[in-house]
Coordinates of all heavy atoms in Angstrom, one line a residue:
A179 N 35.1 33.8 -21.9 CA 34.3 34.8 -22.6 C 33.7 34.5 -23.9 O 34.5 34.1 -24.9 CB 35.1 36.2 -22.8
G180 N 32.4 34.3 -24.1 CA 31.9 33.8 -25.3 C 32.3 32.4 -25.6 O 32.1 31.5 -24.9
R181 N 32.9 32.3 -26.8 CA 33.3 31.1 -27.3 C 34.7 30.7 -26.9 O 35.2 29.6 -27.4 CB 33.1 30.9 -28.8 CG 31.6 31.2 -29.3 CD 31.7 31.2 -30.8 NE 32.3 30.2 -31.5 CZ 31.6 29.0 -31.8 NH1 30.3 28.9 -31.5 NH2 32.3 28.0 -32.3
R226 N 37.8 42.0 -21.3 CA 36.6 42.5 -22.2 C 37.2 43.7 -23.1 O 37.0 43.7 -24.3 CB 35.5 43.0 -21.4 CG 34.3 43.6 -22.2 CD 33.2 44.0 -21.3 NE 32.4 42.8 -20.8 CZ 32.3 42.8 -19.5 NH1 32.7 43.6 -18.6 NH2 31.6 41.8 -19.0
I229 N 39.6 42.3 -25.8 CA 39.2 41.6 -27.0 C 38.1 42.4 -27.7 O 37.9 42.0 -28.9 CB 38.5 40.2 -26.5 CG1 37.3 40.4 -25.6 CG2 39.6 39.3 -25.8 CD1 36.7 39.2 -25.2
T230 N 37.6 43.5 -27.1 CA 36.6 44.3 -27.9 C 37.2 45.5 -28.5 O 36.7 46.1 -29.4 CB 35.4 44.6 -27.0 OG1 35.9 45.4 -26.0 CG2 34.7 43.5 -26.6
V249 N 20.4 47.1 -23.9 CA 21.4 47.0 -24.9 C 22.4 45.9 -24.7 O 22.7 45.0 -25.6 CB 22.3 48.3 -25.0 CG1 23.3 48.2 -26.1 CG2 21.4 49.5 -25.3
A250 N 22.8 45.6 -23.5 CA 23.8 44.6 -23.2 C 23.1 43.2 -23.4 O 23.8 42.3 -23.8 CB 24.1 44.7 -21.7
A251 N 21.8 43.1 -23.2 CA 21.1 41.8 -23.5 C 21.2 41.5 -25.0 O 21.0 40.3 -25.3 CB 19.6 41.9 -23.0
R252 N 21.4 42.5 -25.9 CA 21.4 42.2 -27.4 C 22.8 42.3 -27.9 O 22.9 42.0 -29.0 CB 20.4 43.1 -28.0 CG 19.0 43.1 -27.5 CD 18.1 44.1 -28.2 NE 18.1 44.0 -29.7 CZ 17.4 44.7 -30.5 NH1 16.5 45.7 -29.9 NH2 17.4 44.6 -31.7
V253 N 23.8 42.6 -27.1 CA 25.1 42.7 -27.7 C 26.0 41.8 -26.9 O 26.1 42.0 -25.7 CB 25.7 44.2 -27.6 CG1 27.1 44.3 -28.0 CG2 24.7 45.1 -28.3
P254 N 26.6 40.8 -27.4 CA 27.6 40.0 -26.7 C 28.7 40.6 -26.0 O 29.2 41.7 -26.6 CB 28.0 39.1 -27.9 CG 27.1 39.1 -28.9 CD 26.5 40.5 -28.9
S255 N 29.1 40.2 -24.9 CA 30.2 41.0 -24.2 C 31.5 40.8 -24.9 O 32.4 41.5 -24.5 CB 30.2 40.4 -22.7 OG 30.6 39.0 -22.7
T256 N 31.7 39.9 -25.7 CA 32.8 39.7 -26.5 C 33.0 40.8 -27.7 O 34.0 40.8 -28.3 CB 33.0 38.3 -27.0 OG1 31.8 37.9 -27.7 CG2 33.2 37.3 -25.8
M257 N 31.9 41.4 -27.9 CA 32.0 42.4 -29.1 C 31.9 43.8 -28.7 O 32.4 44.5 -29.4 CB 30.6 42.1 -29.9 CG 30.5 40.8 -30.6 SD 29.1 40.6 -31.7 CE 29.3 41.9 -32.9
A258 N 31.4 44.1 -27.5 CA 31.4 45.5 -27.1 C 31.3 45.6 -25.6 O 30.8 44.8 -24.9 CB 30.2 46.2 -27.9
V259 N 31.6 46.9 -25.2 CA 31.3 47.2 -23.6 C 30.2 48.2 -23.7 O 30.3 49.2 -24.4 CB 32.7 47.8 -23.1 CG1 32.4 48.3 -21.7 CG2 33.8 46.9 -23.1
V260 N 29.3 47.9 -22.9 CA 28.0 48.8 -22.7 C 28.0 49.4 -21.3 O 28.1 48.6 -20.3 CB 26.8 47.9 -23.0 CG1 25.5 48.9 -22.9 CG2 26.8 47.3 -24.4
L270 N 27.9 52.6 -25.9 CA 28.4 51.4 -26.5 C 29.9 51.6 -27.0 O 30.1 52.5 -27.8 CB 27.6 50.7 -27.5 CG 28.0 49.4 -28.2 CD1 26.8 48.6 -28.5 CD2 28.9 49.6 -29.5
T271 N 30.9 50.9 -26.7 CA 32.2 51.0 -27.1 C 32.6 49.7 -27.8 O 32.6 48.6 -27.2 CB 33.3 51.3 -26.0 OG1 32.8 52.5 -25.3 CG2 34.6 51.5 -26.6
A272 N 33.1 49.8 -29.0 CA 33.5 48.5 -29.8 C 34.6 48.9 -30.7 O 34.7 50.0 -31.1 CB 32.2 48.0 -30.5
Y279 N 31.3 47.8 -40.7 CA 30.9 46.7 -39.8 C 30.2 47.2 -38.5 O 29.1 46.8 -38.1 CB 32.1 45.9 -39.5 CG 31.8 44.7 -38.5 CD1 31.3 43.5 -39.0 CD2 32.0 44.8 -37.1 CE1 31.1 42.5 -38.1 CE2 31.8 43.7 -36.3 CZ 31.3 42.6 -36.8 OH 31.0 41.6 -35.9
H283 N 26.1 47.0 -37.4 CA 25.5 46.4 -36.2 C 24.9 47.4 -35.3 O 24.1 47.1 -34.5 CB 26.8 45.7 -35.5 CG 27.0 44.4 -36.1 ND1 26.3 43.2 -35.9 CD2 28.1 44.0 -37.0 CE1 26.9 42.2 -36.5 NE2 28.0 42.7 -37.1
R286 N 21.3 48.1 -36.7 CA 20.5 46.9 -36.7 C 19.9 46.7 -35.2 O 18.9 46.0 -35.0 CB 21.1 45.6 -37.1 CG 22.2 45.1 -36.2 CD 22.9 43.9 -36.8 NE 22.0 42.7 -37.1 CZ 21.9 41.8 -36.0 NH1 22.6 41.9 -34.9 NH2 21.1 40.8 -36.1
L287 N 20.5 47.4 -34.3 CA 19.9 47.3 -32.9 C 18.5 47.9 -32.8 O 17.7 47.7 -32.0 CB 20.9 48.0 -31.9 CG 22.2 47.3 -31.6 CD1 23.1 48.2 -30.7 CD2 21.9 45.9 -31.0

Side-chain angles (χ1 to χ4, degrees):
R181 297 173 57 86
R226 180 182 289 123
I229 63 180
T230 61
V249 178
R252 298 177 59 179
V253 178
S255 60
T256 54
M257 293 182 61
V259 174
V260 179
L270 180 148
T271 304
Y279 177 83
H283 283 283
R286 69 187 294 270
L287 291 175

